[in-house]
Amino acid sequence: MTTAHHSTSPQAVDIAIVGGAMAGATLALGLAKLSATLARPLRIALIEAHVATNTHPGFDARSIAIAHGSIFELTRLGIWPMLKHLGTPIENIHVSDRGHFGMTELNAKPLGLDALGQVVELAKVGSILFDELAKSSVQVYCPAKVTDLQPQQDGHLLSLDDGSQLHCQLLVAADGAHSVVRQHLGQTTEQIDFQQTAIVANVTTNQPHQHWAYERFTQTGPLALLPMLNMTALPAQSQESSVQIKEASAQLKTSAKGHARFSLVWALPPAQADELKNADKTEFLAALQHAFGHRVGQFVDVGQRVSYPLTLSYMPRPIYHRCVFVGNAAQTLHPIAGQGFNLGLRDVVGLLDVIEHALIQANGEVDLGDSDIVHQYLAARQSDRDNTLRNIEFLVRGFSNQHWPLVAGRNIGLRLLSWLPPLKRPVAQTAMGWR
Ligand SMILES: Cc1cc2nc3c(=O)[nH]c(=O)nc-3n(C[C@H](O)[C@H](O)[C@H](O)COP(=O)(O)OP(=O)(O)OC[C@H]3O[C@@H](n4cnc5c(N)ncnc54)[C@H](O)[C@@H]3O)c2cc1C
């Protein structure tokens, strides 16, 4: 879907977003909503290399947990109402440590909430967001790849692989972990290789999930199960309309008894992950049952297994001349705490707030690439990014270690959380992405 026109002279826009997956697409929709309130609408371009199909790298077979705080922000941006019917609420989270006594629960009810978060399938989210973008004021270049960019005093000149060129005042890099924008601008990241690979798959159990999510820390790495809708009766993803999904999911939500679908993320040493990814179904299910135990009954089926090497990469300063980085382009996290998009969305909301504030102050006439705007974004994101990254590194290192003082410490920590309910609130709030 290329909605913008090719021309020989560069198309001038206020803001160009490179990458239209979760971060880029939500930012573009947020900007379009903001623009609709202005006397002079913003000229917004979104460039995405892939159309929303099963092979899209950002909207793939993954399911992700969107925290309560992020649902609040997505609602404010007008996006969650479009996605709500795809969500499976997480009402309780069970955290345990395999082979040790530590375990705890986080529950929505005592916190006065209906859910701690919602699980959504990215492939389905992608087609809905792109349908909405097609109806919006955003100029969508898709499929189109940014192949070159030249920083200029008053902006950036972007060249796309379809031969068109764009000139923008502000460039937003939302192009993921291997950001082409970052490479062109010669910016580096700090990297931590956890020596783990995550196997991601949908699994079926012989008991209903009752809206529980599970996080289990094992000797080899963490294992997470997120509850999902039983969507097997849905038509092929490419043909389904959101109305069809809505009807089918409502029906299945009430009829799903006796078994459940979960989205599995299982972090393992790379060699073991490779072995299990290629193991036959029975062998894989037996290994999973052994690692997880019987808290969700018996694992009876597993879908396609995909693997992701787990590294944490992080730009200490996610800005450049007339350029900001958001989402995975700015930092790519370990999926242990389900924080990647939640943190990416806070980048998006942080940028939207800075832009809105600048527009109000300047009565709508503002150069969006102004150094003040770029630096205000940096300042607004600093402490949240630093804290989240520190916590995740601590969790990964702390829970993948069998050294006894750490084992004792983390088990006592988990047990303390169970014994002292008031202590749970800050933990739950962090898990839910509250600021
Ligand atoms: C196994 C796993 C489980 C996860 N679970 C959770 C979870 O429970 N909760 C959570 O919050 N997060 C989770 N995450 C993280 C979350 O999925 C990501 O943080 C999020 O999807 C990243 O979105 P993004 O838009 O920043 O980047 P990406 O998804 O990487 O998107 C980048 C986009 O840029 C496009 N692009 C790249 N180069 C170019 C170019 N030159 N021109 C044009 N377009 C380009 C790509 O096609 C792509 O669409 C998980 C991640 C993994 C791997």
Side-chain angles (χ1 to χ4, degrees):
M1 164 188 46
T2 304
T3 56
H5 301 289
H6 296 197
S7 66
T8 42
S9 58
Q11 171 98 22
V13 295
D14 298 305
I15 184 162
I17 305 164
V18 182
M22 288 304 282
T26 51
L27 175 64
L29 289 170
L31 282 167
K33 186 165 189 277
L34 173 61
S35 174
T37 65
L38 303 173
R40 183 181 80 75
L42 298 173
R43 295 163 304 172
I44 309 155
L46 177 72
I47 305 122
E48 167 54 46
H50 295 88
V51 285
T53 63
N54 293 348
T55 54
H56 194 292
F59 296 129
D60 59 11
R62 238 173 314 164
S63 285
I64 66 166
I66 303 185
H68 175 84
S70 302
I71 299 290
F72 176 83
E73 295 295 356
L74 289 172
T75 305
R76 208 166 61 94
L77 295 175
I79 295 173
W80 182 246
M82 295 181 263
L83 305 178
K84 201 171 171 213
H85 58 281
L86 296 178
T88 306
I90 299 175
E91 291 169 9
N92 307 284
I93 303 176
H94 186 273
V95 185
S96 60
D97 197 357
R98 188 175 183 278
H100 303 282
F101 62 86
M103 63 175 65
T104 193
E105 287 176 11
L106 301 174
N107 315 94
K109 273 218 177 85
L111 295 165
L113 300 171
D114 289 336
L116 296 166
Q118 300 273 345
V119 182
V120 293
E121 292 180 61
L122 289 187
K124 295 185 170 30
V125 171
S127 35
I128 291 178
L129 294 185
F130 265 73
D131 283 353
E132 198 60 24
L133 280 165
K135 291 186 250 157
S136 76
S137 59
V138 177
Q139 301 171 31
V140 182
Y141 294 76
C142 180
K145 232 182 222 165
V146 172
T147 50
D148 189 36
L149 68 95
Q150 288 169 27
Q152 299 179 335
Q153 200 185 351
D154 62 347
H156 288 271
L157 183 66
L158 306 181
S159 303
L160 313 191
D161 63 352
D162 63 1
S164 49
Q165 286 197 314
L166 289 167
H167 181 277
C168 61
Q169 290 180 336
L170 177 67
L171 173 62
V172 181
D175 52 348
H178 307 290
S179 170
V180 167
V181 173
R182 197 175 59 223
Q183 288 165 30
H184 271 282
L185 297 177
Q187 299 300 291
T188 51
T189 53
E190 290 178 3
Q191 304 255 356
I192 302 171
D193 186 345
F194 292 108
Q195 293 299 316
Q196 286 183 349
T197 296
I199 295 188
V200 179
N202 295 339
V203 294
T204 309
T205 59
N206 67 352
Q207 285 181 15
H209 57 58
Q210 317 271 26
H211 299 286
W212 279 81
Y214 298 86
E215 181 99 48
R216 187 155 176 78
F217 294 95
T218 76
Q219 198 165 345
T220 50
L223 185 164
L225 288 172
L226 301 176
M228 294 170 78
L229 293 178
N230 287 329
M231 305 280 269
T232 40
L234 287 178
Q237 188 236 330
S238 53
Q239 290 136 37
E240 72 205 17
S241 72
S242 54
V243 176
Q244 280 174 299
I245 297 177
K246 206 180 256 177
E247 284 168 358
S249 58
Q251 198 188 331
L252 286 162
K253 246 178 191 167
T254 49
S255 72
K257 288 199 181 89
H259 73 284
R261 262 194 344 143
F262 284 95
S263 164
L264 166 75
V265 178
W266 188 4
L268 292 153
Q272 205 178 335
D274 206 42
E275 221 170 89
L276 279 172
K277 190 184 157 197
N278 299 315
D280 71 33
K281 217 180 239 188
T282 321
E283 207 182 319
F284 179 85
L285 291 172
L288 176 61
Q289 195 82 61
H290 180 69
F292 186 78
H294 287 80
R295 202 169 294 276
V296 290
Q298 206 179 331
F299 292 101
V300 292
D301 202 4
V302 55
Q304 196 196 348
R305 284 159 259 170
V306 184
S307 63
Y308 297 84
L310 298 178
T311 50
L312 189 153
S313 75
Y314 168 66
M315 283 180 83
R317 282 170 65 83
I319 60 165
Y320 189 75
H321 165 73
R322 292 184 169 274
C323 176
V324 299
F325 294 78
V326 298
N328 273 25
Q331 67 272 317
T332 303
L333 307 181
H334 190 299
I336 183 171
Q339 289 298 312
F341 173 62
N342 290 299
L343 183 61
L345 181 65
R346 299 206 291 276
D347 291 344
V348 165
V349 170
L351 180 61
L352 284 169
D353 286 350
V354 167
I355 290 176
E356 184 173 11
H357 183 73
L359 284 163
I360 291 169
Q361 284 212 318
N363 232 344
E365 287 306 319
V366 71
D367 173 356
L368 290 183
D370 192 278
S371 164
D372 277 356
I373 292 187
V374 169
H375 281 90
Q376 278 166 23
Y377 169 74
L378 178 69
R381 296 302 305 129
Q382 197 78 46
S383 71
D384 180 27
R385 292 180 77 235
D386 288 353
N387 289 338
T388 308
L389 285 150
R390 234 194 332 268
N391 289 343
I392 287 175
E393 198 191 342
F394 172 77
L395 269 178
V396 176
R397 295 209 186 284
F399 280 98
S400 303
N401 194 318
Q402 291 306 300
H403 187 52
W404 78 262
L406 264 180
V407 172
R410 73 193 184 206
N411 278 286
I412 290 166
L414 289 180
R415 284 308 279 261
L416 270 183
L417 285 171
S418 322
W419 291 337
L420 301 172
L423 269 186
K424 283 186 184 174
R425 188 174 278 265
V427 172
Q429 286 175 346
T430 305
M432 288 185 298
W434 286 359
R435 282 178 283 179

